[in-house]
Amino acid sequence: MPLPRRGGEPRLAGARVVRTSLPRATPRSPKRVGRGAPLLSHAQRLTRRRHSSEQVPPEPEQADFRSGKWLQERAGGDARDPRHTPLSRMGSRQRVSGTEEVVIPCASDSDSGSVDLQLSNLEDIQKGGPSVEFTDTDISDIPILPQETLPENLRLVTLQEPLNEASVERLIQSIQEVLHGELKGEPQKLTFLRSLSSLSQTIPYDQSTESFIHRHTAEIVHVLSVLVQEESLHSLNSLVRQEIFVTITDLSYQDVHLLFGSEDREDLFGLITKSIISLPAISSPIQLPRIVSNQAIQQECLYRETFEAFSVMLQSLVIKDPHLEFFDSIFKHIDPWLQSDRDHERERATSVMAQVLKCLSSYLNLKLPLQFQRLGHLVAVMALLCGDPLKEVAEEAAEGTHYLLHITLRLKYITQDRDNGKNLKETLKKCREMLEQYNLKGFYCCPFKIVQVFEVFLDSQELGQFIMTILDSLKSLPHPCIQQTAGELLITLVKSAEARFEKVPEIIGVICARLSIITLTSVRQQIINTVSLFVSRPKYTDIVLSHLLCHPVPYDRHLAELWRTLEVELSSTTWVLWRLLRKLQKCHEGPPQEKMTYVAVAVTDALYEVLMGNKLRAAAFRLFPQLLMTLLIQIHHSIGLTMSDVSIPSGLYAEQEIPTEVTPLCFAIQATKTLLLRTLCWQEFSIMEKNGGWTLLKGEGHLQGVFLLANALMERSRLFAYKIMYLLVPLINRGNDKHKLTSAGFFVELLKSPMARRLPRLYSTTRLKTWLNEESELFRIIALRGLHNLVRHRDMREDIKSLLPCILNSLQETNERIILLAIQILLQLVRMLDSTTLATMMKTLLSLFGDVRQDVHRFSMTLFGASIKAVKHAEKESVEDQVLESLVPLLLFSQDENDEIAKESRRVLTLCARFLNWKLPREVYCKDPLYIKPNEVKRVCKFFGEKSKGKIDILDQTLTYSKDPKLPIRRTAVLFVGLLSHYVDTSELKRKGTDWIENDLRELLQDPEPSLRIIASQALFRIQRVGNASEAEISISWLRKLLGCVHA
């Protein structure tokens, strides 16, 4: 069955008359094409101008896109040079079978053809559509490009009578034989094609013919496909191609569509398009040389005639169905050739497209619904061709673009919404203003100017098509200058319509994929600038960043270049960097995951690249506090992780292997270093390097590294430090534990600043008290460190005093850092303590004397001494017991092998003596070991033995230290035990006995240290002698009592 006719248009009679052995059909009467068409259509006039034997006078020259006299040689049917008329006017039938004329309908040149659409025409085509109030100035004032005029003295066609039934039967029979047989030789092929064409002319008045052709359409399509495939793609030596085009043209005018409607027909269209456009470039099918040999002229004529037949075939398809969706089908087959790498193929395709667009602009049917979905793609292709390095291609593309703008204006007028009439009016006004700025002849040869005009008419979907087309073309552009054109088109469109795009992720994806194949530096920068424009728009920022982050890290050199060379307007730099930073911050807010999110690693590497490029320097300074803290937190999260601990999206690395040296931690460290350097924190960077700060940040000493960096900023960049402190005040308790720890660690170091006094109590002491009660030792350390920094401010000590119970409890912790921090705080508060608190604290400190951790040992004695000095005279009795109990430990530790501890012990011992109003013997301050000076030891022991009688059990206390892990202390304690036995209270010694002392000393006789064994044996001897002396005194006392009784 024939395809349904659209819009009720009457069939067009194809007027081809040739002499052959078969009778030829002539239409009963020519049909008029379209509204108000003349009796003889322009298509017929155009065909006669190609093939008539009459001389056509040359046309007056008009302004055109093409150079020189090319207008007079164009394939569209202009006047030709008289020297070429005899050959060029010969049709295919004339060359083979005789001299009859062939007339093929085509588009009219009498259309308005320019951008100055007339309102009356638009109103005609829009009947039944949405009505918008426009005036003539809305559209018709757009500058006009001078149009070609057609000569009026064209000869009419001589029409023949219709074929009789017998002739029709013979045609059908001959065609059937071919459909069921095989064609051999060019004459037989030509005969078949001409028979089919002749038979098509009988369709209007012979139903059997129409039924036959429609019933055998599939077989006809197959035969034509075979004929096309049999033609050589390397040369043009026969008329078969041309006759195929002519036959398809004739059939299309009788509603027999051989190129659309099924897969086989689409394949045929592709075959015939390839067969003509892909011919080698031995000669141009659209230009003839002026002086050549007859053989060359004949070859060129064959090329010309064949190409013209193809062009006319396409135009006839448009005339028969002048709807945009039908044109879209034609464009689909021409499109690949418009983007061909071969110059001659692009030239041919562009010439054809220009003629098709011109024809469409004359016969365009815009009845709704409209289904042309590739306007943006078509505009992009034509704009690229307008910048083609081949002059002929650029000229043809310029003409085609002119008609495309004409079509676009009419399309947008008819499709605009009733409510958007005002917007269209403004758009047309903008278009008119831009066109008035340019010279029209030069306008269409300047691609970026074309974009500026078309952009106002393209919707968001069409803009996306334009961008994607330009980007897709970058992968196969044959000339560097076309790459340059593509770059200019891209950046121009994005600047003009940057807020109206929809498929931004796809655009960014193609850009990233194309960067590696773009070789021109200027074009690469234009492509990157396109990304910059998108990312600087708040509407697209997150979309663009998210897509850029979905690439393997470390980024390859192309993507790294993109990050480093982002050119964002100054007003948008902070916004872009903030959104990138915010993506990393969100990764730190939730609870710790089993694996780190890939986004965190990707953002960290992106921050490094952006900071390396230094294009967003102003934003880096402005966001320095947030950047630094976020990167430090990322370092904390990354400690000990490898890329196997990162949740990498499937397929991201494909077969690419991740280098073993690549870890999340290395990205975070290098980004932090780069941030310091780019914000001129050179001295802070140096401090970190000299003190091993980067190493500390990478390991268990992360907090120490944070403390070091915070202190460096306090010393060298106080403004940055203050900004960070105020940033952390409201945010410090957010996020997971690692987030809180790093933030808190940095915050407490900044409490040294005088600015800390301005902080409300809620954000200082109250917050620190909360951390003191945390289960985590790290939080307790941070809290004590913060209190230590705050206590430096005298006006804040009263607030800190309320935390004394928590601080004193910290002295009993097992963590050395906690104890030391507590001691440092108490040293600042000791003068504010009452006697009861002092007594409690001193008792706790006594338990720390002799701690194996030397700092704990020394500073506990220091605090003990400070406590003695802080005791008021009236309250001495409350701490006297603690002072007396400290005498022996301090005396013994004055012999410690650590000079600092020994010195501190003697200093505090002196304070104790002053407190007790004692005058210590000079021997106490002897720095030499006491065991080598027995006389001095005796005087010391005698002094303390006599002073402590009735106050403390000095012998018992000394014996306790005989088991001290330090040899000097054990040795001194054992020495003192032996000597003190002579100065202690004998009655007490008698009551307790000496066995418990002797047992401990006997154990020391097995000590591996010879000196200790000797001193222990001497002490044991002295103890035993004191014990024996006590027993002798008891015996003598008994005898004296007995003798007294006898005497009595």
Side-chain angles (χ1 to χ4, degrees):
M1 294 294 294
L3 293 176
R5 303 184 184 92
R6 300 191 50 169
E9 302 98 329
R11 289 177 179 173
L12 277 172
R16 286 203 323 176
V17 185
V18 295
R19 279 191 209 138
T20 64
S21 58
L22 297 173
R24 307 295 292 178
T26 304
R28 298 175 183 269
S29 61
K31 305 290 184 178
R32 298 176 64 141
V33 182
R35 197 175 47 257
L39 179 63
L40 191 63
S41 72
H42 164 62
Q44 295 167 323
R45 295 200 307 270
L46 175 62
T47 306
R48 284 205 314 279
R49 287 166 61 194
R50 293 192 183 99
H51 304 291
S52 175
S53 59
E54 294 184 1
Q55 177 64 47
V56 180
E59 300 176 4
E61 294 185 18
Q62 301 289 336
D64 191 64
F65 309 100
R66 296 170 292 252
S67 59
K69 300 286 185 177
W70 200 85
L71 262 175
Q72 301 173 1
E73 300 175 321
R74 55 190 296 268
D78 299 343
R80 297 195 179 107
D81 192 313
R83 291 174 297 175
H84 298 153
T85 301
L87 284 172
S88 62
R89 68 189 180 201
M90 292 175 62
S92 60
R93 303 291 190 265
Q94 293 168 305
R95 291 191 296 273
V96 178
S97 305
T99 58
E100 292 191 47
E101 295 177 351
V102 180
V103 180
I104 303 176
C106 190
S108 172
D109 274 347
S110 62
D111 60 89
S112 61
S114 64
V115 184
D116 66 323
L117 300 181
Q118 297 179 8
L119 186 60
S120 59
N121 291 341
L122 289 177
E123 289 174 346
D124 287 341
I125 65 172
Q126 201 190 13
K127 286 180 180 179
S131 61
V132 181
E133 294 183 0
F134 284 89
T135 64
D136 289 344
T137 57
D138 295 330
I139 298 176
S140 60
D141 287 348
I142 295 176
I144 302 173
L145 187 78
Q147 294 298 302
E148 306 169 24
T149 58
L150 297 173
E152 297 298 332
N153 55 344
L154 296 176
R155 185 170 57 82
L156 296 178
V157 178
T158 302
L159 303 178
Q160 297 180 356
E161 293 297 326
L163 296 178
N164 55 36
E165 292 185 5
S167 299
V168 171
E169 286 298 328
R170 286 198 300 274
L171 288 173
I172 292 176
Q173 184 178 359
S174 65
I175 292 172
Q176 281 182 326
E177 291 176 357
V178 173
L179 295 179
H180 297 92
E182 183 179 0
L183 289 172
K184 295 182 179 180
E186 180 178 347
Q188 189 177 358
K189 294 177 182 179
L190 294 174
T191 300
F192 165 74
L193 292 170
R194 290 166 181 165
S195 298
L196 188 59
S197 181
S198 296
L199 186 64
S200 69
Q201 305 302 317
T202 67
I203 291 178
Y205 57 84
D206 192 326
Q207 292 184 355
S208 62
T209 301
E210 181 177 8
S211 174
F212 170 79
I213 291 180
H214 284 293
R215 192 170 59 251
H216 293 85
T217 299
E219 290 92 332
I220 293 171
V221 169
H222 174 71
V223 172
L224 293 180
S225 298
V226 172
L227 292 179
V228 174
Q229 290 173 343
E230 289 178 352
E231 292 297 303
S232 172
L233 294 177
H234 305 292
S235 63
L236 182 61
N237 299 318
S238 72
L239 294 169
V240 173
R241 277 192 185 89
Q242 181 179 340
E243 289 299 331
I244 291 174
F245 301 152
V246 174
T247 300
I248 293 174
T249 302
D250 286 343
L251 287 169
S252 69
Y253 274 107
Q254 306 304 329
D255 285 332
V256 180
H257 300 284
L258 301 182
L259 302 182
F260 303 103
S262 68
E263 185 176 350
D264 291 342
R265 300 180 192 185
E266 293 283 348
D267 291 342
L268 174 59
F269 197 172
L271 284 173
I272 63 176
T273 303
K274 180 180 179 180
S275 72
I276 182 65
I277 294 183
S278 65
L279 285 173
I282 55 175
S283 299
S284 170
I286 57 176
Q287 289 184 339
L288 280 175
R290 293 297 180 183
I291 302 175
V292 291
S293 65
N294 289 336
Q295 183 178 1
I297 291 178
Q298 292 177 1
Q299 180 70 12
E300 292 293 342
C301 284
L302 181 58
Y303 265 81
R304 176 193 291 277
E305 297 290 346
T306 305
F307 186 80
E308 287 182 356
F310 177 71
S311 178
V312 170
M313 178 194 75
L314 296 181
Q315 294 177 65
S316 69
L317 297 176
V318 172
I319 293 173
K320 190 57 187 172
D321 193 349
H323 293 79
L324 287 174
E325 56 267 38
F326 190 80
F327 165 75
D328 193 25
S329 300
I330 297 175
F331 176 52
K332 179 180 68 175
H333 289 279
I334 305 298
D335 184 25
W337 303 103
L338 293 172
Q339 303 178 64
S340 173
D341 291 345
R342 298 177 179 177
D343 291 345
H344 66 280
E345 292 178 351
R346 282 201 320 284
E347 181 183 359
R348 294 166 184 170
T350 306
S351 177
V352 168
M353 182 53 63
Q355 294 304 312
V356 170
L357 287 171
K358 179 178 179 180
C359 184
L360 182 64
S361 70
S362 301
Y363 292 93
L364 182 62
N365 189 323
L366 290 174
K367 290 186 178 180
L368 300 176
L370 299 173
Q371 300 178 3
F372 185 55
Q373 304 296 330
R374 299 207 300 164
L375 178 60
H377 175 67
L378 177 57
V379 172
V381 171
M382 297 305 292
L384 278 171
L385 292 171
C386 286
D388 198 281
L390 194 63
K391 185 177 180 180
E392 292 78 6
V393 172
E395 289 173 346
E396 290 290 343
E399 181 178 9
T401 304
H402 168 68
Y403 295 115
L404 178 58
L405 180 56
H406 176 82
I407 295 167
T408 302
L409 287 171
R410 297 177 66 187
L411 172 64
K412 293 302 177 180
Y413 181 85
I414 198 68
T415 58
Q416 50 92 16
D417 296 333
R418 185 181 300 272
D419 298 334
N420 291 334
K422 185 177 180 181
N423 293 338
L424 180 61
K425 185 175 180 180
E426 294 175 353
T427 300
L428 291 172
K429 181 179 178 182
K430 180 179 178 182
C431 174
R432 182 170 58 250
E433 291 173 351
M434 285 189 291
L435 287 173
E436 288 172 350
Q437 297 174 10
Y438 308 121
N439 173 275
L440 282 184
K441 184 176 180 180
F443 167 73
Y444 291 100
C445 298
C446 188
F448 77 88
K449 293 179 182 178
I450 294 173
V451 170
Q452 289 177 338
V453 172
F454 272 96
E455 172 268 324
V456 299
F457 299 106
L458 300 181
D459 59 29
S460 57
Q461 181 180 0
E462 292 162 349
L463 289 172
Q465 293 173 1
F466 186 101
I467 292 286
M468 297 301 287
T469 301
I470 295 297
L471 292 174
D472 284 339
S473 66
L474 289 172
K475 64 184 178 182
S476 59
L477 293 176
H479 300 287
C481 64
I482 301 184
Q483 276 198 356
Q484 188 71 41
T485 300
E488 291 177 359
L489 288 174
L490 190 63
I491 196 68
T492 301
L493 182 66
V494 175
K495 283 181 178 179
S496 302
E498 56 185 342
R500 297 196 290 121
F501 292 94
E502 289 182 350
K503 297 183 179 181
V504 175
E506 291 84 347
I507 293 172
I508 301 300
V510 175
I511 286 176
C512 294
R514 297 291 179 269
L515 275 176
S516 60
I517 62 175
I518 301 174
T519 55
L520 292 178
T521 303
S522 59
V523 178
R524 289 178 67 86
Q525 191 56 53
Q526 286 173 331
I527 299 299
I528 292 172
N529 289 345
T530 301
V531 179
S532 302
L533 287 172
F534 277 123
V535 80
S536 62
R537 295 287 300 186
K539 179 180 179 181
Y540 304 127
T541 302
D542 288 337
I543 298 174
V544 174
L545 292 178
S546 297
H547 195 88
L548 292 178
L549 295 172
C550 292
H551 289 82
V553 292
Y555 298 118
D556 60 35
R557 64 185 182 89
H558 305 291
L559 205 56
E561 179 189 3
L562 189 153
W563 283 114
R564 294 186 184 191
T565 56
L566 282 176
E567 290 283 356
V568 182
E569 294 180 1
L570 186 62
S571 58
S572 303
T573 53
T574 303
W575 166 253
V576 173
L577 194 58
W578 167 248
R579 295 311 302 166
L580 185 61
L581 179 63
R582 193 72 189 95
K583 290 183 178 293
L584 182 55
Q585 290 175 339
K586 288 181 180 179
C587 299
H588 302 154
E589 292 176 354
Q593 303 295 324
E594 183 179 351
K595 286 191 172 185
M596 176 180 287
T597 60
Y598 181 78
V599 172
V601 183
V603 172
T604 308
D605 193 20
L607 285 173
Y608 163 71
E609 298 295 351
V610 168
L611 292 170
M612 281 295 293
N614 209 25
K615 294 290 185 179
L616 308 183
R617 185 181 181 188
F621 274 98
R622 185 171 298 176
L623 296 176
F624 178 84
Q626 295 91 331
L627 284 167
L628 181 61
M629 291 311 307
T630 305
L631 289 173
L632 288 175
I633 293 167
Q634 177 63 16
I635 290 174
H636 199 170
H637 281 84
S638 303
I639 293 174
L641 299 185
T642 63
M643 290 302 289
S644 60
D645 300 310
V646 177
S647 180
I648 301 175
S650 59
L652 182 63
Y653 282 86
E655 298 179 357
Q656 180 182 352
E657 293 186 2
I658 305 176
T660 55
E661 66 273 9
V662 172
T663 64
L665 184 59
C666 73
F667 293 126
I669 289 291
Q670 69 181 8
T672 307
K673 289 180 177 181
T674 308
L675 174 64
L676 291 179
L677 295 174
R678 287 306 190 192
T679 52
L680 305 182
C681 295
W682 298 96
Q683 294 180 333
E684 293 84 341
F685 184 88
S686 178
I687 290 172
M688 289 293 288
E689 280 204 334
K690 288 180 179 178
N691 295 277
W694 303 119
T695 303
L696 288 172
L697 284 175
K698 295 178 184 179
E700 295 181 358
H702 174 75
L703 280 179
Q704 294 300 318
V706 171
F707 297 152
L708 180 62
L709 182 54
N711 280 301
L713 281 174
M714 279 294 300
E715 293 177 13
R716 305 296 181 181
S717 303
R718 293 206 168 193
L719 182 60
F720 278 153
Y722 294 157
K723 288 183 178 180
I724 293 175
M725 182 173 67
Y726 283 108
L727 165 73
L728 293 174
V729 165
L731 304 177
I732 203 165
N733 281 331
R734 298 183 185 179
N736 53 40
D737 287 345
K738 291 183 178 180
H739 182 289
K740 293 177 182 178
L741 280 171
T742 302
S743 301
F746 208 100
F747 175 75
V748 297
E749 284 305 298
L750 302 180
L751 294 178
K752 296 176 183 178
S753 164
M755 301 293 290
R757 292 180 295 180
R758 301 183 183 182
L759 293 175
R761 184 176 180 181
L762 176 65
Y763 298 122
S764 55
T765 53
T766 302
R767 178 171 285 173
L768 296 177
K769 181 180 179 180
T770 303
W771 293 342
L772 275 175
N773 295 320
E774 289 278 351
E775 294 183 3
S776 171
E777 284 188 350
L778 291 175
F779 271 111
R780 297 202 295 274
I781 291 172
I782 289 172
L784 290 169
R785 196 172 183 97
L787 290 173
H788 178 244
N789 293 328
L790 278 179
V791 81
R792 299 182 179 189
H793 311 301
R794 292 182 180 274
D795 53 345
M796 300 196 70
R797 290 181 180 177
E798 283 298 329
D799 290 340
I800 298 173
K801 187 178 177 181
S802 63
L803 303 179
L804 273 175
C806 296
I807 299 172
L808 290 173
N809 289 337
S810 299
L811 293 175
Q812 301 176 18
E813 293 271 3
T814 57
N815 189 289
E816 179 181 4
R817 293 166 65 188
I818 292 178
I819 297 172
L820 291 175
L821 285 168
I823 291 174
Q824 295 298 325
I825 296 168
L826 291 169
L827 282 171
Q828 300 294 327
L829 299 174
V830 68
R831 294 187 179 278
M832 302 175 64
L833 305 183
D834 57 69
S835 59
T836 304
T837 304
L838 282 173
T840 303
M841 181 180 71
M842 293 172 72
K843 187 175 182 180
T844 303
L845 291 173
L846 281 172
S847 65
L848 298 177
F849 287 8
D851 195 292
V852 293
R853 296 164 294 189
Q854 295 184 1
D855 287 340
V856 173
H857 183 179
R858 181 164 63 91
F859 286 108
S860 63
M861 292 189 297
T862 301
L863 180 58
F864 192 88
S867 302
I868 294 173
K869 294 170 68 175
V871 176
K872 297 177 182 178
H873 182 74
E875 299 173 346
K876 281 188 174 182
E877 292 183 1
S878 61
V879 298
E880 185 176 0
D881 290 342
Q882 283 76 22
V883 174
L884 289 171
E885 288 181 9
S886 70
L887 294 175
V888 171
L890 291 172
L891 180 60
L892 292 174
F893 286 117
S894 66
Q895 298 296 304
D896 197 283
E897 57 190 358
N898 187 308
D899 292 339
E900 293 292 330
I901 292 177
K903 182 179 179 180
E904 188 66 15
S905 297
R906 287 191 289 269
R907 187 187 71 82
V908 177
L909 185 60
T910 302
L911 294 175
C912 292
R914 290 176 184 172
F915 179 86
L916 297 171
N917 292 322
W918 293 358
K919 185 178 180 181
L920 295 175
R922 290 179 301 174
E923 288 78 8
V924 171
Y925 302 103
C926 180
K927 294 183 180 180
D928 296 328
L930 291 177
Y931 73 91
I932 64 174
K933 295 184 177 182
N935 294 331
E936 286 80 353
V937 175
K938 289 179 181 180
R939 284 192 286 271
V940 171
C941 290
K942 180 180 179 181
F943 176 83
F944 282 97
E946 292 176 351
K947 289 287 186 180
S948 60
K949 281 183 180 180
K951 298 179 180 179
I952 58 172
D953 189 351
I954 190 171
L955 191 60
D956 185 18
Q957 195 177 7
T958 305
L959 187 61
T960 302
Y961 287 92
S962 65
K963 298 178 180 179
D964 193 272
K966 295 181 179 180
L967 176 60
I969 306 303
R970 293 202 309 273
R971 193 159 47 200
T972 305
V974 172
L975 181 61
F976 279 13
V977 167
L979 295 173
L980 286 171
S981 61
H982 295 288
Y983 307 106
V984 297
D985 186 354
T986 55
S987 60
E988 183 69 19
L989 190 60
K990 290 176 184 178
R991 186 177 63 81
K992 290 184 177 181
T994 59
D995 292 342
W996 55 281
I997 300 175
E998 292 177 8
N999 291 335
D1000 287 348
L1001 292 176
R1002 285 192 180 96
E1003 290 181 5
L1004 294 173
L1005 294 176
Q1006 307 301 321
D1007 195 279
E1009 174 57 38
S1011 62
L1012 183 58
R1013 291 201 301 269
I1014 293 172
I1015 294 173
S1017 63
Q1018 291 174 349
L1020 180 60
F1021 174 74
R1022 291 190 178 100
I1023 291 296
Q1024 289 175 343
R1025 190 172 63 179
V1026 170
N1028 293 334
S1030 298
E1031 291 177 1
E1033 288 179 2
I1034 294 172
S1035 300
I1036 292 172
S1037 176
W1038 180 80
L1039 288 174
R1040 284 177 180 173
K1041 289 179 181 180
L1042 180 61
L1043 289 174
C1045 292
V1046 172
H1047 179 71

